[in-house]
Every structure is written in C-alpha cells, then in structure tokens.
Amino acid sequence: MAVSGTILPGVSKEQVQERAAAARQAQTVWARYTLSERVRRLRAVWAEIDAARPRIVETIREETGKPVAEIETMEIDGVSLILTYFTRHAHRILKDRPVSKPWFFFNKRAYVRHVPRGIIGLITPWNMPFLIPVGDAVPALISGNAVLLKPSEWTPRSALIVEEIVKATGLLPEGLFQVIIGDGAVGAAVADESDMILFTGSTASGKKVARAAAERLKPVVLELGGKHPMIVLRDAPLERAVKAAVWGRFANSGQICVGVERVFVEEELYPRFTEAVAKEIKSLRQGEGGEDTDLGRLIFPRQLEVVQAHLEDARAKGARVTGGEIIDAEKLLVSPALVLDARPDMKVMSEETFGPVLAVMPVRSPEEALRLANDTPFGLAASVWSRDVARAEALSAFVEAGLVSVNDVLSHYVVCSLPFGGVKDSGLGRRHSDEGMRMFCQPQSVLVHEWPPNLPEMWWFPYSRMKTRLISWMTRFA
Ligand code: NAD
C-alpha cells in the first residue's frame, strides 16, 4: 500500500473566524473556574484519552509508520509526563507573585497576577503528531486559555481523536479546545485569530509566522529546526556513545528536531567509533510499525528527496556512504545511512536532513569540534561525550544551543522543568518549565493601597518646596 498521509479538506478563513468566536466565548467561562477545578477536569480528560490508547496508537501507526514502542513511549507517555508536571506544579507556577517596593509604599501591596491571554494558536508539524500538539495544549489550557490547534495537514487524525474525546467527556466548555484542519494558509488564519502563537515546524515557515505576528504585535514562540552536533572526545564512554549516536539519529527514522545530525569524533577514537557505529546500524530491525521493529519509514514524501539529495552530495564530495537504499519508494522505506569522513561543506553537515542519515567526521581537537559544531545557523540541541564529566560540562557551556547534554541525548523534552527551545535559526522563546507555562499568561501588575483608606498621598497636588525636598530625601533610602 502506498503512503498517502491524511490530507483532509481544510476549513475556510470564515470558518476559522467562527471557530475562534466560539473559543473566545468558552474561554471566558473556563478562565473563571478555579485553577484546582481546571486541573481536576484536565486530569479526568486525560484519563479518557489514555483509555483510548490502542486506537490512538493504531492511528499514529497508520499515519506515520512509527514503531509501536516509539508511539507508546515518545508520543503518549511523553504527554503523560508533561501533564504530570504541569498539573502538579500549576499552583506554584501561576500563583500571584509579591514583589519588592520602595519603603514608603509600606501601606500598599504590589504583586504580579498571571492572566490568561485568551486564545492560544498551536501550529504543529508531522513528526510528532500527538506529543507536540497535545503536550502543548496541556499548559495552555491549565493556565486558563482556549486552544485552536492546527495540526500538520499530513498527520491530523490523532489530534481529531483527542478533540472527539474532549467533546464526549463534556468536561471542557464547548469550543474551548478545537482542532482546525488545513494547510499553511489555514495555519496563517489560525495565527490571525489567536492572542498568542506557539509554532513548531521548519525555520522557513516559522519566519513567515513571526512576520505576520509582528504586524499585529502578537507574542509568538517559535520551535524550529536543528542540526545536533555530537562532540565525542577521545576519552568518551565508547559503547554508550555509539548506541546514543545510533538511537539519537535513527529514532523516529531521524525525524526528530533534536536528533543527532552531525558527529565530531576526536581522531584517536574515530576508527573504533565508526566501526562500532556501522555494526550497531546493521543490528537495527526495520519494518512498518510493528511491536518488534526499531526503525520505521519516512513520514513525509518530500523527506525521501531530501535524504537522497544529501547522500548524493556527500558521495560526490568524497564521503564513504553506506546504506540509504530506497527499499520501497511508495512506502517511503529507506535503509539507515552512514556517512563517514563527512566534511563541513557537505549538505549532510550544513542543512537539516531530518531523516535516517548519520554523518560522522574526524576532528583533531575539542576546540576544532566546538568551532565546527557552532558553524551553523541552527542552535537547538547538542551533546558532549567524555568520561571526564566536568570537562565535558565545561565544554558544553560554549556550544551555541538551547539544549545541551553531557553523555546523553534526546531527553530534555520529558524533563519538563527544563525550558525547551533553540537559539539562532532554531527558534525564539521556550516551551516547558515554569516560564513556559507563564508565557501563556499576561503578567498583570497589581498595586493595592491598603491604608489609611481616605487620605491623599503627599506627592499628589498641591506641590510645595518642602514636600518636594522631603520626597527626594525619602527616595534616597528606597
Ligand atoms: P512546516 O513548517 O512545513 O509545517 C509546520 C506547520 O506549520 C504545519 O502545520 C503547516 O501546515 C504550518 N504552516 C506552514 N506554513 C505556514 C504559515 N505560513 N503560517 C502558519 N502555518 C503554517 O514543518 P514540517 O515539515 O511539518 O515539520 C518539520 C520541521 O519541524 C523540521 O524542521 C523540524 O526540525 C521542526 N520541528 C521542530 C521542533 C522543535 O521543538 N524545535 C519539533 C518538531 C519539529
């Protein structure tokens, strides 16, 4: 069976406007519930979604061809961890925050209140069709907002199941969480109707969304592409580093924004590292989304062209390439590829491949590795590998990336207390963490005069020389 994705008919701009009006109305009801009530209802909704796990797994499997293990753990358990973090910490994160003030304001209270923004537009890609949209909807909803979700036109069905379950529970006001189907133009209409946009996708589309948001002065958070450099020092723990490179690249068939794209190995370790990586790749079991497969297919047809173009370019420029054969073009099945002796001028090292291609390059020193790692417009994830953890940690501070790991890969997303996001062309702002929940709220600064109830302040009219001098004296001790 050929892979066709799920292109469903998109909605019109007018329909997006109607949906947004319904979302706005629902949000005013939702925002008046107490936080405890919102948390309770979202936990109950999640219990229903989790109960529909087999149907969701099957839908994602059909749409993406991912191994079942990856759907269960990365997509569904991933959301469960996000929900646990935000439901457990919401009260602490969103509680009013008292602030300091000048001493002569001793009779007033000053604090910051977190007011929901209104409608959050979530625009999401095809590589994680459940984790990203549902995971981002959780903190947006808990903090009192409505959500308009525009999933990728290529993989919309699991989000539609969630919408259906939400409706059936009757636990959220009608229209509070809506899934809007369509392409980029529909995404743009959703962005237009939203009070804040959280966009996840390619850098090219992210820039368009940011330009449109700037026109309307709307906050926008961008989670974009990456080119993970893995820096393997000569004293790296070899077995773990090899398995991490292979899992970090070939999980989700290489279609992970934080996936390992470039490996820089100190030349002393290069022969042993590359030999072990080649062996490890051979052990991968590839199939079409079964229980016991490690590697699935590509999700999006255009990725096949990108993968082939990157491999051809690497071959033409003298790299040693193994694998990367098209097993079945219609099914988007391509074997895992290893590119050895890669060089910075090759596409595999300079452009996001986002496919099952691992490029490895020898370097003379950690400094050379660091220079090459940073020589890219991207700055999402990176990792440094050494048995000397302190040294690796020190080196990681100089890597230009929003997410760095030492002797680890791909774990940031589920450690929700960590801000997740990139620098340079990899994005703007962060999801997750306390700040990643507060961003869904407007900080409202509150100042309350408490006593004496009916006396004017001395800095109000009428002015006098003596009052002015007294105020200046008071401010010196503020
Ligand atoms: P894409 O940019 O083509 O599409 C992403 C979403 O944006 C889709 O829903 C699409 O319909 C919509 N869209 C496209 N143009 C739009 C516009 N002008 N206005 C509004 N919406 C628009 O990306 P993709 O191919 O679906 O996803 C792959 C990319 O996503 C890769 O670059 C990958 O690295 C990145 N990604 C990043 C993260 C992260 O957290 N940083 C996570 C996953 C994927």
Side-chain angles (χ1 to χ4, degrees):
M1 184 191 74
V3 172
S4 60
T6 316
I7 305 286
L8 301 172
V11 303
S12 67
K13 197 170 164 52
E14 290 68 35
Q15 284 170 313
V16 174
Q17 286 165 348
E18 279 166 26
R19 303 270 197 104
R24 215 165 271 293
Q25 216 166 5
Q27 192 268 334
T28 57
V29 177
W30 182 241
R32 280 175 176 70
Y33 290 178
T34 63
L35 181 53
S36 300
E37 183 59 19
R38 295 201 296 261
V39 164
R40 188 187 70 73
R41 286 177 186 240
L42 281 168
R43 281 188 176 136
V45 169
W46 175 250
E48 294 300 317
I49 295 171
D50 202 27
R53 195 179 261 253
R55 186 176 159 215
I56 294 169
V57 169
E58 191 46 31
T59 303
I60 300 175
R61 201 188 62 79
E62 280 170 19
E63 279 189 335
T64 65
K66 295 182 192 217
V68 168
E70 287 179 359
I71 301 173
E72 293 258 7
T73 58
M74 291 185 188
E75 299 267 8
I76 304 180
D77 296 333
V79 174
S80 176
L81 286 170
I82 293 169
L83 187 107
T84 301
Y85 178 79
F86 284 116
T87 52
R88 196 173 279 166
H89 293 276
H91 285 85
R92 176 183 57 76
I93 297 170
L94 297 178
K95 75 168 188 268
D96 295 345
R97 185 165 46 89
V99 293
S100 67
K101 54 201 180 195
W103 68 266
F104 46 85
F105 276 29
F106 60 87
N107 53 350
K108 303 179 196 301
R109 271 185 300 119
Y111 64 96
V112 179
R113 179 192 280 157
H114 304 287
V115 180
R117 289 189 183 274
I119 297 180
I120 307 298
L122 300 179
I123 302 172
T124 58
W126 45 259
N127 68 322
M128 292 285 180
F130 188 84
L131 174 72
I132 293 175
V134 185
D136 284 341
V138 167
L141 289 169
I142 294 177
S143 48
N145 297 285
V147 165
L148 292 182
L149 163 61
K150 211 299 281 171
S152 168
E153 53 274 44
W154 200 251
T155 53
R157 282 172 48 217
S158 53
L160 285 169
I161 295 176
V162 172
E163 187 189 43
E164 180 195 312
I165 295 171
V166 167
K167 261 195 191 141
T169 63
L171 286 164
L172 308 189
E174 181 82 32
L176 187 78
F177 172 81
Q178 296 182 56
V179 176
I180 298 189
I181 300 300
D183 58 10
V186 177
V190 167
D192 269 357
E193 296 302 320
S194 304
D195 300 302
M196 175 190 169
I197 304 138
L198 171 49
F199 174 89
T200 310
S202 63
T203 300
S205 308
K207 286 182 178 173
K208 286 187 200 157
V209 170
R211 272 195 288 272
E215 246 340 282
R216 293 165 181 255
L217 294 182
K218 278 187 191 172
V220 59
V221 168
L222 302 174
E223 301 283 358
L224 311 175
K227 196 72 193 162
H228 183 143
M230 177 173 179
I231 300 178
V232 183
L233 303 184
R234 69 181 79 172
D235 66 347
L238 186 63
E239 189 186 346
R240 184 173 165 84
V242 165
K243 287 197 179 275
V246 173
W247 184 68
R249 169 68 304 186
F250 297 106
N252 213 29
S253 285
Q255 301 157 116
I256 299 186
C257 55
V258 290
V260 174
E261 293 243 343
R262 302 171 289 160
V263 189
F264 300 104
V265 187
E266 266 196 280
E267 54 195 10
E268 288 82 350
L269 194 62
Y270 189 76
R272 283 166 63 208
F273 182 90
T274 50
E275 192 185 322
V277 161
K279 206 166 142 200
E280 182 69 18
I281 292 174
K282 281 208 182 80
S283 74
L284 297 177
R285 298 158 302 170
Q286 186 160 23
E288 285 179 80
E291 287 277 359
D292 294 320
T293 51
D294 303 313
L295 193 60
R297 60 166 169 87
L298 294 172
I299 301 170
F300 184 48
R302 213 181 68 78
Q303 284 314 110
L304 195 59
E305 289 163 36
V306 174
V307 165
Q308 291 309 299
H310 284 200
L311 291 177
E312 264 166 41
D313 173 77
R315 264 190 218 101
K317 288 175 180 157
R320 287 184 284 146
V321 179
T322 50
E325 293 97 10
I326 299 177
I327 302 168
D328 186 326
E330 288 210 323
K331 289 181 179 168
L332 298 180
L333 263 181
V334 54
S335 70
L338 178 62
V339 177
L340 297 180
D341 308 341
R343 284 201 325 259
D345 63 330
M346 295 174 183
K347 286 183 178 168
V348 278
M349 297 298 271
S350 57
E351 295 173 18
E352 190 181 35
T353 310
F354 216 58
V357 177
L358 183 66
V360 193
M361 169 178 177
V363 288
R364 279 184 296 271
S365 65
E367 291 69 33
E368 187 187 10
L370 186 65
R371 184 177 57 73
L372 292 169
N374 288 339
D375 186 20
T376 167
F378 293 111
L380 187 56
S383 59
V384 184
W385 294 75
S386 166
R387 282 182 195 276
D388 185 342
V389 172
R391 183 167 166 245
E393 243 177 293
L395 190 67
S396 73
F398 297 97
V399 182
E400 294 164 4
L403 314 165
V404 291
S405 312
V406 170
N407 299 339
D408 206 357
V409 283
L410 314 191
S411 300
H412 287 84
Y413 211 90
V414 290
V415 183
C416 290
S417 41
L418 286 172
F420 184 99
V423 299
K424 304 200 280 190
D425 273 5
S426 288
L428 204 61
R430 299 286 186 271
R431 60 156 63 89
H432 294 179
S433 78
D434 298 359
E435 287 311 311
M437 178 175 234
R438 287 194 198 110
M439 75 181 179
F440 293 122
C441 298
Q442 294 276 12
Q444 188 178 48
S445 299
V446 185
L447 195 68
V448 180
H449 174 76
E450 295 203 296
W451 59 272
N454 201 22
L455 281 185
E457 302 291 353
M458 90 167 142
W459 46 87
W460 294 357
F461 297 137
Y463 297 145
S464 75
R465 176 145 183 81
M466 201 193 76
K467 272 169 59 174
T468 304
R469 293 182 78 162
L470 183 59
I471 291 165
S472 296
W473 177 83
M474 279 158 52
T475 57
R476 268 188 231 158
F477 302 97

